[in-house]
Amino acid sequence: MSETAVSIDWDRANSEDEEENYDDDEEDYSSPAQSSPRPPPSANFEKDRHLVYLEMMYELLPYHYQSQEINRLTLAHFIISGLHFLGARDRIDKDVVAKWVLSFQALPSNRVSLKDGEFYGFFGSRSSQFPKDENEDFLTHNSSHLASTYCALAILKVTGHDLSTIDSDSLLLSMKNLQQDDGSFMPIHIGGETDLRFVYCAAAVCYMLDNWSGMDKEKAKNYILNCQSYDGGFGLIPGSESHGGATYCAVASLRLMGFIGVDLLSSDSSSSVIDPSLLLNWCLQRQANDGGFQGRTNKPSDTCYAFWIGAVLRLIGGDALIDKIALRNFLLKCQSKYGGFSKFPGQLPDLYHSYYGYTAFSLLEEPSLSPLCPELGLPLFAASGI
């Protein structure tokens, strides 16, 4: 997610194991150059410019994205789901997109192969989709990936594809191979790290397929609770520093699995598996003086955390306590004159921060945007199947 993204880099994915790094490279942060004056930010959400930006990305990705080829499905998710938020789902060929996404699913040659320990999910791109050998089995380097599987299903949901047509039995049965004894998940069947990002991806996959046979929810819950820090936030792994992206993965996973309900702050906290008041305090402390949200203590505000932290506050019923005017002003400073959003004010836009800029404005109830399903990070109507 640097600090993962799905950064669920939270900004830039690891090209070796195709992880969605939800954690922007904040360690490499340096202030944008101030040599030339910036144009004043727009006072409005520039929907038309964002549509032009996403339509351009839909047609042809700039060469700067070559290094992220292994995450092509993730980039497609940002574009297609972003268009849905902007009310422009009709601008894509839904049948063509669905067919393209389905071509990335790894399918076992027979039921026996489901016991070989591999994961039969979705590949992130053609560059990780290895051919079958002479026995019609995938090579040992089958690299279908849990985060890519989440993105594939998200795209299919947004395009209105019937998920019952997917070989979900093979997907979920093999996904159980990824869950570890402590309840965490690896993203691939061998050699991957384990943390809350992939617990979230597994929970979201099960939720979207309406089938929880792919994971042990009780084990996953215990792992999540072991990742909560003394300050109320959650780290990516037990004992690590609280982090905005990890906290989202924890809370959203608990909601998807049914362990926490709506508006925790109005409920009896003694019966909750987490301390909502402590979590609320940690989240509210992440809104900085510039109005934006930071991912960790003493880090700069960043567009994407308006979603990661803002969605947590929505899920626990504390979003009314956000200074929404200040947050909106910060986000508008990150809105590019070319369309899209940048990580920090004054920088060029990118797909990752653009998508989470749209979700953040949806949380702020921007009139021109579709409402948000905070636990899935998708447009509400797509998430609900409407």
Side-chain angles (χ1 to χ4, degrees):
M1 294 176 194
S2 79
E3 272 192 38
T4 120
V6 169
S7 62
I8 309 176
D9 224 314
W10 295 83
D11 222 355
R12 180 175 307 162
N14 183 316
S15 60
E16 293 183 358
D17 61 10
E18 194 187 351
E19 289 169 13
E20 294 307 329
N21 293 320
Y22 294 128
D23 183 278
D24 315 31
D25 32 3
E26 292 185 352
E27 303 298 344
D28 300 326
Y29 170 76
S30 57
S31 298
Q34 304 291 328
S35 56
S36 58
R38 297 179 190 162
S42 171
N44 301 304
F45 179 83
E46 301 286 353
K47 179 179 177 178
D48 290 342
R49 292 186 182 183
H50 295 302
L51 282 172
V52 170
Y53 174 76
L54 289 179
E55 287 185 306
M56 178 184 69
M57 295 294 182
Y58 177 69
E59 293 296 333
L60 182 67
L61 285 174
Y63 76 91
H64 305 86
Y65 287 96
Q66 288 178 348
S67 63
Q68 295 192 45
E69 165 58 29
I70 201 166
N71 297 306
R72 185 170 287 268
L73 260 183
T74 302
L75 298 174
H77 159 51
F78 293 151
I79 295 167
I80 294 165
S81 299
L83 285 168
H84 193 302
F85 271 114
L86 294 171
R89 192 177 65 160
D90 59 332
R91 304 197 185 190
I92 64 172
D93 190 324
K94 292 184 266 301
D95 292 335
V96 169
V97 168
K99 183 178 179 180
W100 177 74
V101 171
L102 291 170
S103 72
F104 288 104
Q105 186 173 10
L107 298 171
S109 55
N110 53 63
R111 301 293 293 180
V112 175
S113 61
L114 290 175
K115 299 180 180 179
D116 62 9
E118 297 198 21
F119 173 47
Y120 294 95
F122 285 79
F123 300 100
S125 78
R126 296 283 179 247
S127 63
S128 59
Q129 192 173 21
F130 292 91
K132 295 180 179 180
D133 62 20
E134 62 275 10
N135 297 319
E136 289 298 305
D137 288 327
F138 281 104
L139 299 177
T140 55
H141 298 295
N142 168 16
S143 56
S144 61
H145 194 279
L146 197 48
S148 297
T149 301
Y150 160 79
C151 291
L153 296 182
I155 294 172
L156 294 174
K157 290 281 282 185
V158 166
T159 57
H161 184 79
D162 183 359
L163 295 186
S164 67
T165 63
I166 295 174
D167 182 3
S168 57
D169 288 341
S170 295
L171 193 161
L172 294 169
L173 184 59
S174 64
M175 193 173 79
K176 293 180 70 174
N177 299 326
L178 303 180
Q179 190 167 21
Q180 307 300 296
D181 290 339
D182 63 358
S184 64
F185 275 82
M186 290 198 304
I188 53 179
H189 76 282
I190 186 170
E193 59 187 327
T194 61
D195 58 54
L196 282 180
R197 292 171 296 176
F198 310 118
V199 173
Y200 170 74
C201 288
V205 165
C206 290
Y207 184 88
M208 286 190 278
L209 293 175
D210 194 22
N211 186 334
W212 290 92
S213 64
M215 65 186 299
D216 184 323
K217 290 199 293 184
E218 194 65 28
K219 280 187 174 181
K221 179 193 75 173
N222 291 334
Y223 181 79
I224 292 171
L225 298 181
N226 285 334
C227 291
Q228 188 165 27
S229 181
Y230 70 93
D231 55 11
F234 290 78
L236 278 174
I237 60 175
S240 61
E241 179 185 10
S242 294
H243 179 275
T247 300
Y248 170 81
C249 287
V251 175
S253 296
L254 292 172
R255 168 66 66 82
L256 291 170
M257 291 189 289
F259 290 117
I260 60 175
V262 179
D263 198 1
L264 287 180
L265 295 173
S266 298
S267 306
D268 180 9
S269 61
S270 63
S271 63
S272 175
V273 296
I274 59 175
D275 184 336
S277 297
L278 193 61
L279 174 60
L280 173 69
N281 185 59
W282 183 84
C283 288
L284 293 177
Q285 288 183 21
R286 301 285 69 75
Q287 187 164 23
N289 291 334
D290 60 9
F293 278 92
Q294 59 184 192
R296 293 184 287 159
T297 303
N298 295 324
K299 292 294 182 178
S301 298
D302 175 335
T303 293
C304 69
Y305 292 109
F307 169 76
W308 300 122
I309 303 292
V312 171
L313 288 167
R314 171 69 64 85
L315 287 169
I316 65 174
D319 54 311
L321 299 174
I322 297 172
D323 186 339
K324 294 181 180 179
I325 294 176
L327 177 58
R328 191 176 193 276
N329 289 336
F330 172 81
L331 291 171
L332 288 174
K333 292 176 183 177
C334 297
Q335 178 177 239
S336 171
K337 63 181 180 180
Y338 306 108
F341 288 86
S342 59
K343 177 176 180 171
F344 304 120
Q347 296 188 346
L348 290 174
D350 64 81
L351 279 172
Y352 172 82
H353 290 93
S354 295
Y355 182 71
Y356 290 111
Y358 306 142
T359 59
F361 265 98
S362 181
L363 279 170
L364 292 173
E365 300 179 341
E366 178 69 25
S368 61
L369 289 176
S370 297
L372 173 75
C373 174
E375 56 265 51
L376 282 179
L378 296 176
L380 179 61
F381 298 140
S384 61
I386 299 175

